[in-house]
Amino acid sequence: MTLSEQSTDLDGLAAELDREYVFHSWSAQASLSPIVIAGGSGSVVWDHGGKRYLDFSSQLVNVNIGHQHPAVIDAIHRQADLLATVGPAAANLTRGEAAKRIVARAPEGFSKVFFTNGGADAIENAIRMARLHCAARGDVGRDKVLSTYRSYHGNTGAAIVATGDWRRMPNEFARGHVHFFGPYLYRSEFWATTPEQESERALQHLRRVIQSEGPATIAAILLESVPGTAGILLPPPGYLAGVRALADEFGILLILDEVMAGFGRTGRWFAFEGYDVVPDLITFAKGVNSGYVPVGGVVISEPIAATFDDRVFPGGLTYSGHPLAAASIVGALDAMESEGIVENARRVGAEKIGPGLLELAEKHAAIGEVRGEGVFWALELVADRTTRDPLPAAAVAKVKGELVARGLLPFQADNRIHVVPPCVVTDDEVDQALAIYDEAFAAAL
Ligand code: PLP
């Protein structure tokens, strides 16, 4: 057998094993035919046969540092040689170094990190901390959490019920979660025509929801700083600061979910830094170590951390602060800092991706709106620019198929293509991708 026959065989074997034994997320299982990915480097992945794809999905918008960054791989190797696992009750140098680096990037007034296995359980624990903190300050009866319909917060008990999108409904067994509409000028719920109007009216709507639910029953408002899967909905001017003011007025805590938007995606360490707001709790995962080892966590502000100084926090995880995850965080954050990776995301977004996508929108009528920043962009696809009716699913699937056929892995959600490459993407790779988007739209529509 030649090398290339063997490789094709491995692709076939990977597909066969997957079909036979692997149960996939969020899918009916029978008709799946996933792409085989065997290796990667930077913004590119390939199968066993060497077919290459530009990864403009960053997998699940998490590989911020790119595939196989040597500093992260090396940090994991070194930690595996030293101590591959350790219980959460022990003190461990690498875990402490990881927590210190995360706190150093948070605003003043944040002091501790609770590590989890991923984003969803970060949300679970942030909600729990908020409720317990309210109770500890004598505010009993505050258990509700307000979050937006256009949101995704994860796939565990409270996180999936806090989620606003369709995935909540078949899982809605927990009470205490109330949803409201956040700002989204392109499809405004508030008949707004300017970002300022959208912001003001969305805040008035939230005030009415708080008043109608009873402020004394609400522990927290939970928001993605920039809603990601829901469409990369950059908050309009004043919105997040206005939410903070409402939360303060009614004694409610503010949890900002930075799982997708954090650690470089927007061209800033935390997305909320661009919006004049400081939350009480920050949840993170994905970009903190680019998913080389599963990890997430909650960054805790001093008053909430102090609640648990002499009071037991009734929560924990076997793998909280796992040393391989901690090592990968140290490796990733140090490399992102020393190599200017967050700055690259900011520059490439402003100079290349944004202008390039706007040019595409001039050529293709199906692109109703281009929005984003850093390496966090959405193309909102429409059947008609005047009515803004979403492009039908079959047509979106066609675009996606044409992109994959041309060697680009897209991130698609509803009627949108999200343009979300790693933060290390080069100008040349962006040019290649823009040419592929252009060809794919022309071929599909
Ligand atoms: N929060 C946000 C904003 C997310 O985008 C996600 C996942 O996409 C989650 C939470 C859940 O993270 P995980 O899938 O690591 O549990």
Side-chain angles (χ1 to χ4, degrees), residues 69 71 105 269 331-341 343:
H69 193 291
R105 281 167 182 90
W269 285 101
L333 296 186
D334 287 356
M336 285 172 89
E337 182 89 57
S338 67
E339 294 171 23
I341 288 173
E343 291 74 14

Side-chain angles (χ1 to χ4, degrees), residues 60 117-121 123 152-155 224 226 228-229 257-261 283 285-286 295:
L60 277 181
N117 300 332
D121 48 343
I123 298 291
Y152 179 69
H153 295 292
N155 178 43
E224 292 176 68
V226 176
T229 310
D257 182 347
E258 289 268 337
V259 167
M260 186 179 278
T283 56
K286 297 187 188 263
V295 75

Side-chain angles (χ1 to χ4, degrees), residues 395-445:
V396 179
K398 230 171 138 196
V399 174
K400 188 175 172 183
E402 295 291 347
L403 290 168
V404 174
R406 286 170 173 75
L408 184 142
L409 291 189
F411 184 99
Q412 176 248 324
D414 299 331
N415 63 314
R416 300 177 305 273
I417 302 286
H418 293 190
V419 178
V420 284
C423 301
V424 294
V425 72
T426 64
D427 289 7
D428 185 46
E429 286 164 338
V430 172
D431 286 337
Q432 288 172 42
L434 289 169
I436 293 176
Y437 288 118
D438 190 16
E439 283 174 27
F441 280 117
L445 303 175

Side-chain angles (χ1 to χ4, degrees), residues 180 203 206 221 223 238-248 254 277:
F180 62 98
L203 286 168
L206 176 56
I221 298 170
L223 287 178
Y239 181 71
L240 286 180
V243 173
R244 172 79 268 180
L246 279 175
D248 289 344
L254 177 61
V277 63

Side-chain angles (χ1 to χ4, degrees), residues 220 269 311 320 391 394:
W269 285 101
R311 193 180 274 107
S320 178
L391 194 69

